[in-house]
Every structure is written in structure tokens, then in C-alpha cells.
Amino acid sequence: MTSFIYNPALIRQKQLEVEFLSFFHGHGFDIIDLPVVETFDWPGMTEDDLRLMPQRESWVQNGTVHALRHDWTNAIVRYLHKYKIEAERAVYSGPVFHSGSETRQLGMEVFSESTSRQTEALSLMIGFMDEQMNDRPRTAVISHYALLPMILGEEKVADPAIRRALSQRSTSALRQLLGDHPLLDLIGDQPESQVHKLRSAFPEIRGVLGELTGWEETLREAGVEAVYPDITALPSQSYYDGVFIRLYGSGRTTPIASGGQYTARSKAFGMGIFY
């Protein structure tokens, strides 16, 4: 006689995916799915593809590079460049694989330059996390990828040594590389005072800071208790070019969700929950 193992955690995982997809579909999002195995040809690989390949689970077959899906937004951007999705808003669920491990994502994408449509989608996601997952984000770290290029200049931001020092938040290394640049004084300040000092030290970035303020208001209205700026954020891929947000639960040191603005066929915004 065949026996079956009942696994409540697995059942709940599948229920959560259906609830998430149904919730966003009910708000006008189209449900999409993409292959978990992506294919690449060497001549057509971008710098982003090449840089991420060491983190991917990949293999070569008949001269073609195959890799397990590393990130949903990356897969969607690649799909948009090759094909055409008519949807203005899309929702997805499924696994991603990187550095030898598997995680699952629930996510949504808004293919619109309208900030109001993007912030509306963010509010919907936070509401779902609170009500359906009982896991309301308590803290948000918010940044804008245009800040560092405007503060340091494109050439310095592209410097591998400076990028490494920024990612490690090494003020000693940055001081050696940048000298007495005003950025060094800001990094040591409390997050609350950084934006105020940025406005006075770099008047040309006030427009970007205004964008951050609008997103901060959206997060607070959605019930996020604490919102902190991060002026040293670096995009993981070149198509990220605007606001970037990480959401944290109570007592968590790793994000439970993250996402941001990027360029696909036009401006877009995406956010993924890790579960």
C-alpha cells in the first residue's frame, strides 16, 4: 500500500502562491510565468550576464550556455528585450537559484513611468504581507541609484576599488581613494541627518531627494514604522537606475523583500518577496 506524507508547510507554500497571484490579479495584474532554465549565447551576453554568471548554476550544452533562473526581474528584462509583453502590470511566483541555493519569490512588476502606479503597487504588496502573510515590514532602507553618480561622478562610481570600498562601507579605504570628499563625512552620520546635509552640500540632487521623500511617504502610509536612507547603494545590474527599497521584518537582519525602478522597454518598477 502506498503511503503519502502530508506536509502542512508545503501546502501553505502553495496556498500562499495562489493567494498572492489571485490578490494581484484581482487588482488588474496579469499573471506571467517564465522558464526556470534560461539560455544564453556567448556573443549576445551583456556585461551584466557575464558578471553574474559565477553566481549562476550554469552548464554548456551544444555550444549554448544554460542557467537556472537567477532573478525574476533579470529574466523579465531579458524577455522584454527579446519579445513583447502587452501587460502594463504583471505578477509572478516561483524559485530562483544563486550561489548554490534555492529561494522562492513572490513578485510584481509595473511597466509604467507613472510613479503613482508604481507606489500604488508597492502599497498593495505591503498590505498583502501584513494581512495575508502576517509579516508586515517594520523597517525600510531606501536609496536612489542616481545619487552616487551625481555626488562622485560616473568615472569614480565605475572604479572597481571605489565600488568595493562602498559595498564594504570602508571609510578608511574610501578616504584613501577619494581624499577629503564630502561623502566621507556623510557616511558616518545618522541616516536621519544625511538627507538634510546632502541638500545643502549638493544642491543639484534636490530633485532626486524629492523623489525619495515621495516614496518614503508611501512607505509610512503603508504602515512601515522606520524608513532610513542609504546614500551608498550601488545597483546590482546596469538597468537599475532609480529608487531602490529593501524591506525588513521585526528583528530581521536580512530583507524580506526588495525591489526598485529600472529600465526595461521604458521605466518600470519591480518588487519581490523572499519566502
Side-chain angles (χ1 to χ4, degrees):
M1 180 178 178
T2 302
S3 62
F4 295 91
I5 299 174
Y6 176 68
N7 188 327
L10 179 61
I11 295 295
R12 178 55 191 149
Q13 174 186 297
K14 300 302 182 183
Q15 289 175 334
L16 180 63
E17 291 183 12
V18 172
E19 290 170 6
F20 182 81
L21 297 175
S22 300
F23 174 82
F24 273 90
H25 186 59
H27 285 87
F29 285 68
D30 290 328
I31 300 173
I32 63 171
D33 196 13
L34 293 175
V36 72
V37 176
E38 301 181 278
T39 58
F40 302 81
D41 58 339
W42 284 112
M45 292 180 74
T46 66
E47 289 187 14
D48 287 335
D49 294 332
L50 293 169
R51 188 174 66 253
L52 288 174
M53 198 55 66
Q55 302 174 33
R56 290 179 176 269
E57 303 298 320
S58 61
W59 65 97
V60 179
Q61 185 175 5
N62 299 326
T64 300
V65 180
H66 302 270
L68 297 180
R69 184 172 54 219
H70 176 270
D71 176 83
W72 267 95
T73 299
N74 176 267
I76 289 168
V77 170
R78 292 180 70 248
Y79 188 91
L80 286 171
H81 285 165
K82 190 173 182 179
Y83 304 106
K84 186 177 181 180
I85 294 177
E86 297 294 340
E88 184 181 273
R89 299 186 293 179
V91 61
Y92 62 82
S93 68
V96 293
F97 303 83
H98 51 83
S99 301
S101 63
E102 174 188 354
T103 57
R104 304 189 71 84
Q105 285 186 7
L106 305 169
M108 57 78 185
E109 311 285 330
V110 179
F111 310 117
S112 170
E113 296 189 11
S114 168
T115 302
S116 63
R117 288 179 181 266
Q118 295 177 6
T119 54
E120 176 192 14
L122 174 60
S123 297
L124 285 172
M125 177 168 276
I126 293 173
F128 180 87
M129 296 171 73
D130 183 19
E131 296 172 15
Q132 264 70 33
M133 299 179 69
N134 195 28
D135 196 11
R136 177 191 290 182
R138 301 295 179 182
T139 304
V141 176
I142 185 169
S143 53
H144 198 298
Y145 289 140
L147 277 177
L148 278 178
M150 296 176 76
I151 293 171
L152 293 178
E154 296 282 355
E155 185 176 343
K156 283 188 172 65
V157 172
D159 185 316
I162 292 176
R163 292 179 68 88
R164 184 166 53 253
L166 285 167
S167 66
Q168 296 172 351
R169 298 182 182 275
S170 174
T171 53
S172 59
L174 286 170
R175 196 167 298 279
Q176 289 182 345
L177 294 164
L178 300 175
D180 293 326
H181 195 281
L183 178 66
L184 274 297
D185 295 328
L186 290 168
I187 291 176
D189 285 345
Q190 291 295 321
E192 297 87 343
S193 64
Q194 288 179 352
V195 172
H196 175 72
K197 289 188 175 181
L198 277 172
R199 283 195 179 94
S200 58
F202 303 94
E204 65 274 17
I205 67 174
R206 290 184 179 179
V208 171
L209 296 178
E211 290 182 48
L212 284 176
T213 299
W215 285 87
E216 180 180 346
E217 290 174 356
T218 295
L219 290 163
R220 293 189 186 282
E221 289 172 1
V224 179
E225 298 169 0
V227 183
Y228 299 107
D230 178 10
I231 62 175
T232 62
L234 290 165
S236 57
Q237 299 190 62
S238 60
Y239 51 76
Y240 284 111
D241 57 5
V243 168
F244 186 77
I245 300 166
R246 297 182 183 90
L247 300 176
Y248 296 82
S250 179
R252 304 276 189 93
T253 57
T254 56
I256 55 177
S258 68
Q261 293 174 314
Y262 61 94
T263 299
R265 60 175 177 234
S266 63
K267 292 292 184 182
F269 175 78
M271 197 86 184
I273 301 171
F274 313 113
Y275 71 102

